[in-house]
Amino acid sequence: MLRKIGAFMKILLVEDHEALGRLVQEHLTGSGFIVDKVGDGPEALEALRLSEYDGMILDLGLPSLDGLEVLKKQRARKDRSLPIIILTARDQIGDRLTGLNSGADDYLVKPFDVLELEARLRAVLRRPGARREEVMSLGNLSVDVSRWDVRVGAEALDLARREFVLLEELIRIYPGVIAKDRLEDRLYSFDESVTPNATEAVVSRLRRKLIAAHATARIATVRGIGYRLLPGEDVEVD
C-alpha cells in the first residue's frame, strides 16, 4: 500500500499574517499533514526546541526576529537536515539567493497559490535525507517508512494516519519505551483539542489491528510512563 508523500508528516508553519497562516494550515491539514502554526521568530525557535518536525514553512518578514535569523539559528543546530521552504514578499534575486545560501531548500514569493506551496513542500520532503528511508522489522511485522507501507508477513496492514505514526515511533525506539507525552506531540498539533483518553484510543485501535493480523509484535503498556513494542504476547509492565 503506497501512500503519498506528506501523509503523517508534522510541519511547522511560521507566518505572522493570521488569515494567510490559517489558510495554509487548513489546506495542508486537509491534505493529510499535521501542522503547528506560530506567528513569530521566538515562538518558532521554541517550537523547534520542544517538538520534532518533518519540515518547516518559514515567512521571512516576521516581527521581533526576522525569519532569516530563525533559518540561520536552525541550521546552526546539531540536526541541520530539516527541510525548509521560505515565504517572502522580497522578490529580488539577491533576497532569494540570501535565503537559499543560508540553508533554505526552496522559496516561494508572495502572493502564491496554496496548491503550489503544497507541491513544493512535497518535493523537498522527497529529497534524499528529508525523511529517513528505511524498513524496520520486528518478528513478522515490517514498517517501510519511505513508502508508508506496513506488512505482517506478506500481507499489507491498512492503518489510519495516527496509527501509522504511533507504530513508527514504537518500532523506531524498540526495545525502548516511548513516553506518552512524546507520542501526543507526534500525533497532534498545538491547536488540536486532545481528550485525556485520545492517545489510549489510538493505541487500542492499533493493538487490535496487530492482533487481528496475527502480528508477533505486540504493544505493551508501561504504567505511568508510556508504551513499548514486545516480540511476543501483549502484556502490561509496571
Side-chain angles (χ1 to χ4, degrees):
M1 180 177 55
L2 178 62
R3 301 179 188 269
K4 61 184 180 180
I5 294 293
F8 319 121
M9 288 190 172
K10 190 169 185 178
I11 304 300
L12 178 62
L13 170 62
V14 189
E15 172 59 65
D16 67 317
H17 191 287
E18 182 61 30
L20 177 59
R22 186 168 59 251
L23 175 67
V24 171
Q25 183 180 32
E26 290 175 354
H27 176 82
L28 293 180
T29 299
S31 296
F33 293 88
I34 300 170
V35 183
D36 283 345
K37 181 173 71 69
V38 297
D40 62 30
E43 287 183 344
L45 293 175
E46 181 68 3
L48 289 167
R49 186 182 69 84
L50 294 175
S51 298
E52 179 182 341
Y53 294 97
D54 299 295
M56 178 165 66
I57 300 170
L58 175 65
D59 180 27
L60 291 188
L62 298 173
S64 70
L65 183 65
D66 187 84
L68 192 59
E69 290 302 312
V70 174
L71 176 60
K72 291 177 179 177
K73 289 179 182 293
Q74 165 59 26
R75 289 310 188 215
R77 289 158 52 103
K78 184 177 180 180
D79 181 7
R80 305 177 183 180
S81 63
L82 181 70
I84 298 175
I85 295 178
I86 56 175
L87 305 179
T88 178
R90 308 166 190 173
D91 60 358
Q92 297 299 313
I93 187 63
D95 294 320
R96 303 177 198 179
L97 290 176
T98 297
L100 293 173
N101 290 335
S102 297
D105 296 275
D106 199 357
Y107 68 87
L108 198 56
V109 176
K110 298 178 179 179
F112 57 84
D113 190 296
V114 290
L115 291 174
E116 182 180 1
L117 174 60
E118 180 186 349
R120 287 175 180 259
L121 178 60
R122 293 186 187 280
V124 299
L125 291 171
R126 280 195 296 266
R127 292 176 183 172
R131 181 83 173 176
R132 291 164 288 190
E133 297 186 3
E134 56 190 309
V135 178
M136 296 171 288
S137 300
L138 180 61
N140 64 354
L141 175 68
S142 65
V143 180
D144 187 332
V145 176
S146 65
R147 291 173 57 87
W148 312 109
D149 186 51
V150 178
R151 293 184 179 271
V152 177
E155 297 298 318
L157 182 61
D158 190 16
L159 299 182
R161 181 185 70 186
R162 292 192 176 110
E163 294 163 1
F164 184 95
V165 174
L166 168 61
L167 181 59
E168 179 190 348
E169 294 296 317
L170 287 170
I171 200 168
R172 191 177 294 284
I173 203 172
Y174 174 82
V177 177
I178 186 164
K180 182 181 176 182
D181 58 356
R182 171 172 167 75
L183 274 179
E184 289 179 346
D185 173 67
R186 290 295 294 166
L187 293 175
Y188 306 99
S189 62
F190 285 160
D191 55 0
E192 285 186 277
S193 178
V194 183
T195 63
N197 296 323
T199 300
E200 286 90 339
V202 178
V203 171
S204 179
R205 290 195 298 270
L206 176 59
R207 182 180 277 148
R208 290 197 300 269
K209 287 185 178 182
L210 291 176
I211 292 172
H214 305 291
T216 54
R218 301 294 175 88
I219 302 174
T221 300
V222 183
R223 290 177 180 172
I225 302 177
Y227 305 94
R228 66 186 299 188
L229 278 182
L230 292 178
E233 292 298 320
D234 186 16
V235 296
E236 291 201 355
V237 182
D238 291 319

